[in-house]
Structure formats: structure tokens, C-alpha cells
Amino acid sequence: MFPESQKRRARAGADLALAFFLADRDPLWAVVALFYGVHHLLIALSQERAPGPFTPRKYSEALSLFRQAGLAKEVRKAYEKLLELSWQARYEPLTREEGRGLWAKALETYETLRGALGGAGEPGA
């Protein structure tokens, strides 16, 4: 494993653990932390598989890296859905109850992504 991807994996684990810690306390920020945990995990996986080292600076560059690394379309679609949900959590005036609904959608999407990755991305991993 490359040092950069090790750092990314550690960051992913911390963000995922934070997401699950926040789930009942602040579901909107839990969605945001979940997205960033997935973001860092997928960059780490992609950096390990890609032909050359590359660190994306935009979400569109991250998606390009995921394609180049051969991540499944299902994984990329789940990433895009989590990005969308994270955006809603940050910028739409949602109630706590709506936040719980958003968390439920994010968690479902996360489980789909984990399944497509063969279980990678355990919280706190």
C-alpha cells in the first residue's frame, strides 16, 4: 500500500466512525461525514489501482480517477448519490426529522457501495 493511500484509508475510517457517532445526534452532519469517509476510501482504493499517482482536486476529477482505476459503475453511482445527499444536508434548510430521512437514504446507499466493494469501508476501519 502506498503511504498516500494509507493516510487516505485512515482518514476514511475516522470520517466513517464520526458519521456513525453523529447519526442519532446530528443526522445531517452524519450524512456529510459519511460522504467524506467514502470519498477518501475510494480515492485510496483508486490510487492503489491507478497506473500513476494522482490526487484529485475536484469531485469530477475524483470520478475520473475512479473510472481509470476500474471501480464499478455501481460504486461510482453510489458515490454520486452520496455527494448529492451530502450537498442537501449542508445547503438545504432541512428539519431534524428530514435529516433522519436523509441519513436513512445515505446509509442505504453506503450499504450498496460496501456490497459492491465486497465489504470494504467498515466504519472505523
Side-chain angles (χ1 to χ4, degrees):
M1 212 181 308
F2 304 107
E4 173 72 18
S5 68
Q6 287 176 330
K7 289 178 188 176
R8 288 268 178 192
R9 283 177 178 270
R11 177 68 186 266
D15 288 347
L16 292 171
L18 178 62
F20 285 91
F21 173 79
L22 290 173
D24 290 331
R25 294 163 183 82
D26 192 338
L28 292 172
W29 282 110
V31 171
V32 174
L34 183 70
F35 166 72
Y36 281 109
V38 166
H39 178 76
H40 289 292
L41 175 65
L42 295 183
I43 289 173
L45 290 172
S46 296
Q47 287 175 331
E48 292 163 9
R49 297 176 182 181
F54 174 71
T55 301
R57 301 285 179 221
K58 300 176 188 177
Y59 298 122
S60 59
E61 290 178 357
L63 281 165
S64 178
L65 174 64
F66 303 159
R67 274 190 295 280
Q68 290 173 5
L71 295 186
K73 186 175 184 178
E74 184 178 18
V75 170
R76 297 190 316 265
K77 285 197 168 291
Y79 173 86
E80 289 178 297
K81 180 65 176 176
L82 287 171
L83 173 59
E84 175 188 318
L85 294 172
S86 173
W87 191 267
Q88 284 181 272
R90 286 178 288 171
Y91 301 114
E92 290 184 14
L94 302 174
T95 65
R96 185 172 175 82
E97 193 56 39
E98 290 168 324
R100 286 189 184 106
L102 206 62
W103 169 252
K105 289 178 190 175
L107 190 55
E108 182 180 317
T109 303
Y110 171 69
E111 290 301 330
T112 298
L113 182 137
R114 280 192 55 234
L117 291 173
E122 288 291 329

